[in-house]
């Protein structure tokens, strides 16, 4: 999937160009800041676990037992690759009547949220997300199963999306 500005045109990950006004939606990728944040968290937690697994058995039972540190180190390397694959799988598209959110590597999941069914659109940002300049948009609908989240957006894009979705939601629900 292509990365870049959330305003890139094209259908990232499909290999086909977007057709304005056509049936194919214009997909937006998540910014790379989300991948950097998740990788840093992975390195911190598994790095500490690797260090603890090397030092404690190495001091208590001998240097041969410090080889157990290779397990969390292998998990760190495996997680590094999986995080990128997961990050690349996330995308969203705004269509005329609904918002599409697609994610997943092995099990693809595509959520369709009709604008008229949205009850609440929240922009959230925890302390780690704020440190990396990221925000998440969470959509609440009448059916709890269709609540959806778009993580790791630039705060300006998250606010733009919240305002647009709120405006479209109010316009579509007025006729219900």
């Amino acid at each position: 999937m292509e990365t870049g500005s959330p305003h890139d045109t094209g259908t990232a990950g499909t290999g086909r160009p977007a057709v304005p006004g056509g049936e194919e939606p214009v997909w937006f990728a998540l910014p790379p800041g989300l991948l950097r944040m998740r990788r840093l968290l992975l390195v911190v937690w598994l790095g500490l676990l690797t260090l603890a697994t090397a030092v404690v058995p190495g001091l208590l039972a001998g240097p041969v037992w410090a080889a157990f540190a290779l397990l969390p180190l292998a998990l760190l390397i495996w997680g590094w690759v999986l995080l990128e694959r997961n990050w690349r799988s996330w995308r969203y598209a705004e269509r005329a009547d609904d918002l599409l959110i697609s994610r997943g590597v092995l099990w693809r999941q595509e959520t369709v949220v009709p604008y008229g069914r949205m009850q609440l659109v929240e922009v959230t940002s925890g302390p780690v997300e704020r440190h990396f300049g990221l925000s998440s948009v969470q959509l609440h609908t009448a059916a709890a199963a269709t609540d959806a989240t778009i993580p790791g957006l630039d705060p300006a894009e998250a606010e733009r999306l919240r305002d647009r979705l709120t405006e479209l939601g109010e316009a579509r629900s007025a006729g219900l």
Side-chain angles (χ1 to χ4, degrees):
M1 179 190 305
E2 301 167 12
T3 58
S5 165
H7 301 290
D8 287 344
T9 57
T11 53
T14 64
R16 296 178 300 225
V19 180
E23 292 182 22
E24 188 69 30
V26 177
W27 291 99
F28 300 116
L30 297 183
L34 179 65
L35 179 61
R36 281 193 300 273
M37 178 189 77
R38 288 180 174 173
R39 281 183 168 171
L40 178 67
L41 291 172
L42 177 76
V43 168
V44 166
W45 289 111
L46 284 179
L48 289 173
L49 184 61
T50 301
L51 186 62
T53 308
V55 171
V56 173
L59 291 175
L60 297 177
V64 174
W65 290 96
F68 279 112
L70 295 176
L71 293 174
L73 187 61
L75 279 175
L76 189 139
I77 293 167
W78 184 56
W80 188 273
V81 173
L82 288 182
L83 282 174
E84 182 170 357
R85 289 185 67 196
N86 179 270
W87 168 76
R88 286 187 183 280
S89 75
W90 277 87
R91 59 191 187 151
Y92 66 98
E94 299 173 59
R95 295 195 306 185
D97 295 322
D98 50 33
L99 177 74
L100 301 175
I101 302 171
S102 179
R103 64 194 170 280
V105 177
L106 292 177
W107 288 273
R108 298 287 307 160
Q109 187 174 18
E110 189 166 294
T111 304
V112 179
V113 184
Y115 297 134
R117 299 288 184 220
M118 282 189 253
Q119 293 182 330
L120 176 67
V121 181
E122 286 183 298
V123 174
T124 60
S125 184
V128 177
E129 284 180 310
R130 279 194 307 274
H131 177 75
F132 283 90
L134 301 172
S135 294
S136 296
V137 173
Q138 186 168 7
L139 309 161
H140 300 278
T141 63
T146 59
D147 287 358
T149 302
I150 305 173
L153 294 174
D154 178 64
E157 172 63 9
E159 290 176 16
R160 183 205 65 83
L161 190 58
R162 178 201 58 210
D163 294 343
R164 176 163 164 69
L165 294 176
T166 302
E167 178 183 316
L168 289 168
E170 289 172 355
R172 299 294 193 284
S173 67
L176 294 178

